[in-house]
Amino acid sequence: MKKLIYMLAAAALVSAGAVSCSDEKTDDPVEPVTVSSSMRLNGGNVLVNVPEADFDVSIPDEASSWVGVNEAETEGRTLVLEVAKNETGAERQTTVTVTRKGRSDLLATVTIKQSNVAAKNGEFVIEEIYFTGTALPETGSPDKYQGDQYIKIRNNTDEDLYADGMLLILQSSVLSNMEGEIPAAVDFREEYCAGQAFYAIPGSGRDVPVKAGESLIIVNNAQNHLESNPDSWDATTADFEWYDESSNDNFLDTDNPAVPNLDKWYAQTLTVHSLHNRGAYGIAIAMPPAGTTGEQFLQDHPIGDGYYYSPNGSDYEMPIKGYFVPNEWVLDAVNTGGRNTFGMAPWGTSLDAGYTWCGTEDSDPDRFNKSVIRKTGADGKLVDTNNSSNDFTPNTTPSLLAK
């Protein structure tokens, strides 16, 4: 009966923004503890080791809708606070105080900061980009669909993460194989990524777990390409594929129903999107705020008029079209191209101060069957200095085609 009365009283106090946990009283002075917790948008528990087992918990009214006491796990001197999923689209913060029961003596201060995204810059990184495609033995070049292209994305942290909602920018709006410049007055690159092909990983928050140090494989076409090319690979084991509804019956995409499709937000092509096989467009990954939809993104982030770049030796202003992704959303961005043909960087230097490459000259046939792979550091994690010239091994054997 005593336990039942305690539970009812505790429930009543939680609804009012405070809960008490009772034991023997003491008037001895105590050194308060301080706890700071940074949470991802999915939320979770915050453990607090309270100096005494006789305490009250005070949660600010404005935070009572997303912070509460986990009654099932709170016992004795152990207080467990439960933080709900952040669906507000903005970061949030609160401070919870723990005092002696019925007194003002401070026992603990708990500061909780919660992000509005599941991952931040550098936590997921682009591990490999296979954009060149595998040459057919009989022709020396890939088939017209280049369907065995892929991207590997690594969880480069020590904790398990969720990739739900991750946005892949599979084509930059700026060509890297053109010498030219974006005038300072309209140079957006340190603030935005400009892209023309956007695909998102589906999920509601906890549907796509990626363990620490593991990777996702995302492919152009999740087919067994060995059936048509003995030098290729079986992509039916991929985690996701991007799929396009073509407006031209002569150029149709192939869907593998056993491999989930990315959510297509936008691609400038009216047929089937492929990675540029000379790497002339940069690739990036981003994490929009939770709840962002493709429709909302397209409505809120069009590039608009007035942005352009000028090819060297020309007065021509080449318009930059597509959509802007704020750099603050970006997890990783990679400039790609040819070794001797790289001109302008699609992404700002804060995201990538260099570039990585396949092939030496423009249309170099030796680029086929080659990939760019991020280096591994002495700690076993992928190297990420935001400079692809340093971070990647260029023009190398694709990891999934290695025999």
Side-chain angles (χ1 to χ4, degrees), residues 59 90 333:
I59 300 171

Side-chain angles (χ1 to χ4, degrees), residues 47-119:
L47 175 66
V48 185
N49 293 312
V50 185
E52 297 178 0
D54 195 7
F55 57 79
D56 292 336
V57 180
S58 179
I59 300 171
D61 290 342
E62 61 272 16
S64 61
S65 64
W66 58 280
V67 178
V69 175
N70 186 328
E71 295 291 346
E73 299 187 30
T74 294
E75 183 178 4
R77 296 185 181 185
T78 301
L79 166 65
V80 179
L81 297 171
E82 191 170 36
V83 180
K85 182 179 179 180
N86 185 357
E87 298 179 304
T88 66
E91 294 184 349
R92 58 189 179 185
Q93 177 175 333
T94 193
T95 299
V96 175
T97 56
V98 183
T99 57
R100 281 176 171 157
K101 183 185 177 185
R103 306 276 293 275
S104 61
D105 303 337
L106 186 64
L107 297 178
T109 301
V110 186
T111 300
I112 301 171
K113 297 180 180 179
Q114 189 178 25
S115 172
N116 62 328
V117 294

